[in-house]
């Protein structure tokens, strides 16, 4: 299956896990969580933007191998929105770009590690991050993030959070 996220075509592997038993679903979720925890913990170990970004992207890529796990697609969307900051898309924050991106990675990873690793816990995590990313001034400070569209320009006189 191919989906489009922020104008990027992204291939997702089709699952051959249809019709899993609840025990098999729980095992599949446990596999995903173990892989994500390993990558995301590694991301926190770095203060260099590229060294932090590599395991963070590996975690997002791993999610595409688990499309049969209910919340996996939401994790991918949230984490790729954060990764877009490194690419100055859709807003270039200039000299602050890496610092802002690294701040958001740290927040996302720290919250992930504290999240109950159940379908409900992961879904709540995704919901919180989608709500965080929805305002048109995320991430603050600097330019304007227009979720799902093109951004840019000054913040104007909107209050900072």
């Amino acid at each position: 299956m191919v989906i489009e996220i922020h104008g990027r075509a992204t291939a997702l592997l089709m699952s051959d896990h249809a019709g899993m038993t609840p025990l098999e679903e729980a095992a599949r979720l446990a596999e995903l969580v173990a892989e994500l925890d390993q990558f995301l913990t590694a991301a926190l170990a770095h203060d260099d933007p590229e060294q932090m970004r590599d395991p963070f992207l590996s975690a997002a890529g791993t999610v595409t191998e688990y499309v049969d796990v209910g919340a996996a697609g939401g994790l991918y969307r949230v984490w790729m929105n954060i990764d877009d900051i490194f690419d100055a898309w859709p807003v270039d924050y200039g000299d602050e770009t890496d610092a802002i991106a690294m701040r958001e990675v740290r927040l996302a990873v720290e919250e992930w590690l504290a999240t109950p690793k159940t379908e409900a816990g992961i879904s709540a995590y995704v919901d919180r991050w989608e709500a965080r990313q929805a305002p048109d001034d995320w991430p603050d400070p600097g330019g304007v993030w227009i979720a799902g569209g093109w951004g840019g320009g000054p913040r104007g006189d909107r209050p900072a959070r």
Side-chain angles (χ1 to χ4, degrees):
M1 172 187 340
V2 175
I3 61 171
E4 188 172 317
I5 299 175
H6 292 303
R8 298 177 184 167
T10 304
L12 296 179
L13 304 176
M14 292 303 292
S15 170
D16 59 350
H17 299 280
M20 290 188 294
T21 67
L23 186 58
E24 291 168 329
E25 289 174 7
R28 188 80 171 137
L29 177 61
E31 287 174 25
L32 171 62
V33 165
E35 287 190 51
L36 295 179
D37 283 357
Q38 181 178 0
F39 284 124
L40 296 173
T41 300
L44 283 181
H46 300 288
D47 290 327
D48 175 77
E50 286 305 313
Q51 290 178 345
M52 177 182 276
R53 186 181 189 188
D54 288 343
F56 188 70
L57 279 175
S58 294
T62 296
V63 169
T64 66
E65 300 169 18
Y66 288 85
V67 295
D68 54 312
V69 176
L75 290 171
Y76 184 83
R77 282 189 312 275
V78 164
W79 292 343
M80 292 310 293
N81 281 341
I82 294 169
D83 182 70
D84 283 343
I85 301 168
F86 283 108
D87 295 327
W89 190 90
V91 176
D92 185 348
Y93 292 94
D95 293 342
E96 297 297 313
T97 297
D98 285 343
I100 292 169
M102 290 173 64
R103 178 195 69 204
E104 295 299 313
V105 168
R106 279 188 197 97
L107 288 171
V109 170
E110 289 167 354
E111 186 176 333
W112 167 261
L113 294 173
T115 293
K117 302 310 189 291
T118 61
E119 286 279 345
I122 294 169
S123 292
Y125 170 89
V126 168
D127 290 346
R128 284 189 303 274
W129 272 91
E130 287 178 339
R132 176 178 170 80
Q133 293 171 346
D136 66 357
D137 61 351
W138 179 85
D140 199 23
V144 178
W145 179 277
I146 306 298
W150 296 98
R155 289 190 59 227
D157 48 359
R158 286 175 284 161
R161 286 180 295 217

